[in-house]
């Protein structure tokens, strides 16, 4: 199952009632497991303080009650979290390294539709950071694959290839020391519209170097920046325009961050891009404005969060060699 919760906001997704199948419509398939009852164990490597057993039990009950209707054969389960010889092991993990033909998987399980594919125990991986309702949906979906159901099978609300999922509450980006996936940033600078592109580039470089040195202890010391020539490859984009996209007026600067909100609380938990736009700024002040918005990109909210050069800076301060202050 692919997680769409990190791409768009959305509440927990439940599953809709499906119409009853007539006997003519019901699938008629042999049980690929060759037996009616399967033993299921649990391996929790994601969060030892969280009890996943009730969620697994709910998902097993769902298929015990609906396997004949949707899979074409009857199945039952015995949940023994510490079973020594289980048929299925549900593994709760921090992340899934890979799953065939799936991007950003929230769960992964083999597709079992004939006996030759059964090699006990079969493992189901589930990312353990989702809410209870989303975790139930992931479990039902992946268990459906072990019954031979693909993404076109019913119930559609369970077996759809992707669903909006909600994670457990996570620290917001502004609460993290590094609200990005890593500390190595790619930067695209479009200074063609300026009078002196070389001087502008030097100003931007001063701002980047200041943060690479730790910005007086306000950001991690392993931060680095690399200029790239392709805008689409950049996490940080600095441009110059006649109009500002994120504030009224045509003079000054503004910054916008984009990112992900996996817990759907309305606040970004991680940033993946920062766009800085400057309009009618003196070349000598370009570095200061870029430096200010870099701080915004590190989650700074209050004036006290920014390093000293960006607090109550005067006209002259912004045009000084502020990056040399510590």
């Amino acid at each position: 199952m692919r997680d769409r919760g990190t791409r768009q906001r959305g509440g927990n997704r439940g599953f809709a009632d499906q119409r009853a199948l007539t006997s003519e419509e019901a699938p008629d398939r042999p049980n690929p497991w060759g037996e009616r009852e399967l033993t299921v164990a649990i391996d929790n490597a994601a969060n030892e303080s969280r009890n996943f057993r009730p969620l697994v039990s709910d998902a097993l009950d769902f298929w015990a009650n609906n396997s004949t209707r949707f899979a074409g054969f009857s199945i039952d389960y015995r949940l023994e979290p510490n079973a020594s010889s289980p048929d299925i092991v549900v593994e709760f993990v921090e992340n899934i390294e890979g799953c065939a033909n799936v991007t950003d998987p929230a769960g992964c399980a083999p597709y079992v539709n004939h006996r030759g594919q059964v090699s006990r125990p079969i493992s189901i991986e589930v990312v353990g950071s989702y809410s209870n309702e989303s975790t139930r949906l992931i479990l039902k979906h992946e268990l459906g694959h072990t019954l031979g159901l693909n993404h076109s099978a019913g119930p559609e609300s369970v077996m759809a290839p992707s669903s909006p999922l909600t994670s457990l509450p996570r620290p917001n980006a502004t609460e993290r020391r590094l609200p990005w996936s890593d500390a190595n940033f790619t930067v695209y600078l479009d200074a063609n519209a300026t009078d002196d592109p070389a001087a502008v580039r030097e100003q931007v470089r001063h701002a980047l170097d200041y943060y690479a040195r730790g910005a007086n202890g306000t950001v991690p010391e392993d931060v680095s920046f690399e200029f790239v020539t392709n805008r689409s490859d950049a996490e940080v984009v600095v441009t110059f325009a006649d109009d500002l996209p994120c504030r009224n007026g045509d003079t000054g600067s503004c910054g916008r961050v984009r990112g992900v909100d996996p817990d759907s609380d309305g606040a970004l938990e991680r940033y993946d891009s920062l766009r800085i736009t400057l309009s009618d700024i003196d070349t000598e002040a370009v570095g200061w404005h870029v430096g200010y918005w870099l701080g915004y990109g590190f989650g700074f909210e209050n004036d006290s969060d920014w390093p000293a050069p960006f607090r109550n800076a005067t006209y002259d301060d912004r045009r000084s060699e502020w990056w040399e202050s510590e």
Side-chain angles (χ1 to χ4, degrees):
M1 169 179 280
R2 182 165 65 89
D3 173 11
R4 290 198 289 121
T6 59
R7 298 291 188 266
Q8 62 183 46
R9 283 199 62 199
N12 297 352
R13 173 176 177 174
F15 53 92
D17 291 335
Q18 303 292 314
R19 64 184 178 87
L21 295 173
T22 67
S23 58
E24 290 78 19
E25 293 172 313
D28 183 13
R29 299 170 47 242
N31 182 344
W33 291 88
E35 56 188 277
R36 168 73 182 271
E37 185 179 70
L38 304 179
T39 299
V40 179
I42 298 174
D43 181 7
N44 179 9
N47 186 346
E48 293 183 359
S49 64
R50 188 177 180 191
N51 181 15
F52 290 105
R53 179 169 182 162
L55 305 179
V56 175
S57 180
D58 289 347
L60 297 177
D61 287 346
F62 173 84
W63 284 116
N65 293 326
N66 291 280
S67 59
T68 301
R69 178 181 174 186
F70 293 109
F73 55 87
S74 180
I75 200 76
D76 203 354
Y77 299 95
R78 182 172 63 253
L79 179 57
E80 295 183 12
N82 299 314
S84 58
S85 300
D87 299 294
I88 297 173
V89 178
V90 180
E91 301 178 10
F92 289 94
V93 297
E94 292 184 0
N95 58 77
I96 298 173
E97 297 298 331
C99 190
N101 302 318
V102 180
T103 303
D104 297 329
C108 189
Y111 176 57
V112 179
N113 64 353
H114 60 78
R115 292 195 182 189
Q117 294 174 312
V118 176
S119 179
R120 293 173 172 82
I122 280 180
S123 294
I124 296 174
E125 288 185 298
V126 176
V127 175
S129 58
Y130 289 94
S131 67
N132 286 350
E133 186 171 347
S134 289
T135 300
R136 287 190 191 95
L137 177 58
I138 298 168
L139 286 164
K140 292 174 186 176
H141 180 99
E142 303 307 336
L143 283 165
H145 285 322
T146 68
L147 299 178
L149 301 178
N150 58 28
H151 290 155
S152 63
E156 181 182 356
S157 56
V158 172
M159 297 311 301
S162 62
S163 297
L165 303 173
T166 302
S167 74
L168 294 172
R170 300 183 183 183
N172 294 332
T174 55
E175 300 170 327
R176 301 173 187 264
R177 183 163 173 78
L178 180 66
W180 298 75
S181 58
D182 63 64
N184 304 310
F185 295 89
T186 50
V187 181
Y188 175 80
L189 170 63
D190 182 5
N192 293 330
T194 65
D195 294 334
D196 191 344
V200 166
R201 186 181 182 88
E202 183 179 6
Q203 281 280 316
V204 173
R205 183 78 261 181
H206 285 313
L208 300 178
D209 289 345
Y210 181 78
Y211 278 90
R213 296 193 301 269
N216 200 21
T218 58
V219 300
E221 294 182 357
D222 59 347
V223 168
S224 67
F225 299 91
E226 177 187 1
F227 281 114
V228 295
T229 57
N230 190 335
R231 178 175 178 146
S232 63
D233 293 335
E235 295 161 309
V236 180
V237 173
V238 182
T239 61
F240 296 79
D242 293 333
D243 299 311
L244 294 174
C246 41
R247 55 166 289 187
N248 295 326
D250 56 4
T251 300
S253 63
C254 65
R256 281 181 171 175
V257 288
R258 296 182 184 275
V260 296
D261 178 19
D263 61 6
S264 297
D265 66 348
L268 299 179
E269 275 69 55
R270 191 182 74 245
Y271 299 149
D272 52 36
S273 69
L274 168 65
R275 300 293 181 260
I276 302 172
T277 306
L278 295 86
S279 178
D280 198 23
I281 297 292
D282 294 342
T283 299
E284 296 82 1
V286 165
W288 186 93
H289 281 267
V290 171
Y292 178 89
W293 291 112
L294 285 173
Y296 178 69
F298 279 100
F300 298 166
E301 286 188 301
N302 303 314
D303 288 343
S304 59
D305 295 335
W306 269 267
F310 304 102
R311 302 179 208 155
N312 303 314
T314 66
Y315 177 93
D316 291 334
D317 290 337
R318 298 180 184 191
R319 288 154 180 80
S320 68
E321 295 182 354
W322 57 267
W323 54 84
E324 295 185 352
S325 63
E326 294 294 340

